[in-house]
């Protein structure tokens, strides 16, 4: 796709959102915790072959928080190379604005199309500060930004209107699942502003988000079972309620129950499922921990069930 005008990037993302789930790939590590770049490339090639609408490397699922700048550069560069212009590449940036700008410039050099601004580090902040954070990052990069509200970042309507007027800010990913607040933001947004459902295991709330005008969503399940993720996406977009309900009841809801057993499983479970399928994802990095033996056994059973529902095999 290549970096172009904000309108070009936004149009590419909008088209991708309409045609497929948003892919947030895992970052592969060796058993000793070092970056497995060859494994990442092999894993990513398999993911991109399934046709996601866009790819978001080095974000939450990709353990951005554990990558140093050189590793980040390698991951984003590899993603741009594997995507080869077939879909937008949106790289994660985060921490305070000064560090976020450092990562943003690396992403620019690597050829990313846009940036997802992950919630800042540690502190809570007033609305004025949340706006200033995005203003500073936008001033330090030529890439368009998608803001991410989750955790300590939650925009009120007035602050949201201000961020939509920041040059380069083209969208908002929501991870709070506060649909009253989100509806207010969608009504306050410019017509061309992009919205993404970024709830954990977003499929669970996809119908509710779509009802307030946010049908696009990221899929952690796509990181290990694109067959399931794509089947759900197709059923949702074609109003096949029977398939949507079956997948929610028999796969997604039990998956969330398993994910919620231990803090950090939102990433650890995804990596474990990828390994069960023979994908070169490797372990998680501390402070995350890999699944217990009992939880891994339950995940194997659930994954086999989900794949069987869509006519695929473990």
């Amino acid at each position: 796709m290549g970096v172009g005008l904000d309108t070009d990037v936004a149009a590419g993302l909008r088209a991708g959102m309409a045609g497929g789930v948003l892919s947030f790939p895992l970052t592969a590590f060796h058993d000793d915790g070092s970056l497995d770049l060859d494994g990442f490339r092999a894993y990513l090639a398999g993911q991109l072959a399934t046709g996601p609408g866009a790819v978001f490397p080095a974000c939450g699922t990709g353990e951005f928080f554990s990558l140093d700048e050189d590793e980040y550069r390698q991951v984003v560069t590899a993603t741009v190379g594997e995507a080869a212009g077939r879909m937008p590449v949106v790289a994660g940036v985060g921490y305070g604005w000064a560090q976020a700008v450092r990562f943003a410039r690396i992403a620019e050099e690597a050829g990313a199309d846009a940036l997802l601004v992950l919630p800042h580090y540690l502190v809570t902040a007033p609305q004025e500060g949340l706006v200033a954070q995005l203003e500073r990052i936008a001033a330090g990069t030529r890439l368009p930004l998608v803001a991410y509200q989750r955790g300590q970042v939650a925009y009120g309507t007035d602050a949201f209107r201000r961020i939509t007027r920041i040059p380069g800010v083209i969208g908002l990913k929501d991870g709070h699942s506060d649909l009253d607040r989100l509806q207010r933001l969608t009504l306050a947004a410019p017509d061309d502003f992009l919205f993404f459902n970024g709830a954990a295991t977003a499929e669970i709330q996809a119908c509710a988000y779509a009802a307030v005008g946010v049908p696009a969503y990221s899929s952690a399940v796509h990181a290990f079972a694109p067959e399931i993720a794509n089947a759900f996406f197709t059923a949702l977009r074609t109003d096949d309620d029977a398939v949507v309900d079956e997948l929610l009841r028999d796969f997604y809801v039990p998956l969330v129950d398993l994910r919620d057993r231990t803090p950090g499983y939102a990433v650890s479970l995804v990596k474990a499922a990828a390994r069960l399928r023979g994908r070169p994802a490797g372990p998680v990095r501390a402070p995350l921990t890999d699944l217990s033996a009992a939880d891994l056994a339950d995940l194997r059973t659930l994954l086999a069930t989900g794949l069987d529902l869509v006519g695929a095999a473990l």
Side-chain angles (χ1 to χ4, degrees), residues 18-299:
V21 299
L22 306 177
S23 176
F24 284 68
L26 298 160
T27 300
F29 299 124
H30 293 291
D31 288 343
D32 65 0
S34 60
L35 179 65
D36 179 5
L37 190 60
D38 289 339
F40 174 71
R41 286 197 182 100
Y43 162 81
L44 185 63
Q47 293 299 115
L48 299 189
T50 66
V55 59
F56 290 66
C59 293
T61 306
E63 297 179 77
F64 167 79
F65 55 86
S66 78
L67 300 176
D68 66 28
E69 292 182 12
D70 183 60
E71 292 169 331
Y72 176 85
R73 183 188 304 276
Q74 293 181 68
V75 166
V76 177
T77 300
T79 304
V80 171
E82 290 295 334
R86 293 175 291 166
M87 64 201 67
V89 175
V90 185
V93 298
Y95 306 117
W97 65 262
Q99 189 64 27
V101 168
R102 288 177 63 92
F103 280 102
R105 289 172 179 165
I106 293 170
E108 285 184 22
E109 294 167 2
D113 295 293
L115 303 170
L116 178 66
V117 181
L118 303 169
H120 62 267
Y121 172 69
L122 189 59
V123 297
T124 56
Q127 295 289 296
E128 182 71 25
L130 298 181
V131 174
Q133 167 87 341
L134 280 180
E135 288 175 336
R136 290 278 194 166
I137 297 171
T141 178
R142 61 191 180 91
L143 295 183
L145 306 180
V146 175
Y148 189 3
Q149 62 169 13
R150 186 170 183 165
Q152 67 269 39
V153 177
Y155 299 104
T157 305
D158 290 342
F160 174 74
R161 287 195 180 98
R162 289 180 61 190
I163 71 169
T164 67
R165 295 194 290 267
I166 299 172
V169 176
I170 62 172
L172 177 74
K173 181 182 179 184
D174 175 74
H176 281 295
S177 304
D178 181 341
L179 298 181
D180 178 273
R181 176 193 293 266
L182 186 59
Q183 181 72 87
R184 294 168 189 267
L185 300 189
T186 61
L187 293 172
D191 290 341
D192 58 351
F193 202 74
L194 302 175
F195 285 92
F196 308 83
N197 167 4
T201 315
E203 286 90 344
I204 290 286
Q205 300 184 63
C207 294
Y209 268 82
V212 296
V214 184
Y217 61 90
S218 56
S219 175
V221 170
H222 187 273
F224 63 86
E227 304 96 325
I228 299 173
N230 288 340
F232 183 89
F233 180 88
T234 299
L236 190 66
R237 294 302 171 92
T238 58
D239 297 320
D240 191 338
D241 295 339
V243 171
V244 168
D245 289 349
E246 181 180 48
L247 286 171
L248 287 174
R249 180 182 60 248
D250 296 338
F251 177 73
Y252 282 101
V253 169
L255 183 71
V256 169
D257 290 342
L258 178 54
R259 181 201 70 201
D260 289 347
R261 289 182 187 177
T262 300
Y265 268 17
V267 176
S268 303
L269 181 148
V270 175
K271 273 205 159 176
R275 292 194 302 273
L276 286 173
R277 304 206 68 200
R279 309 294 197 264
V284 293
R285 276 182 172 173
L288 300 180
T289 58
D290 288 307
L291 269 61
S292 68
D295 290 344
L296 184 62
D298 288 346
L299 176 61

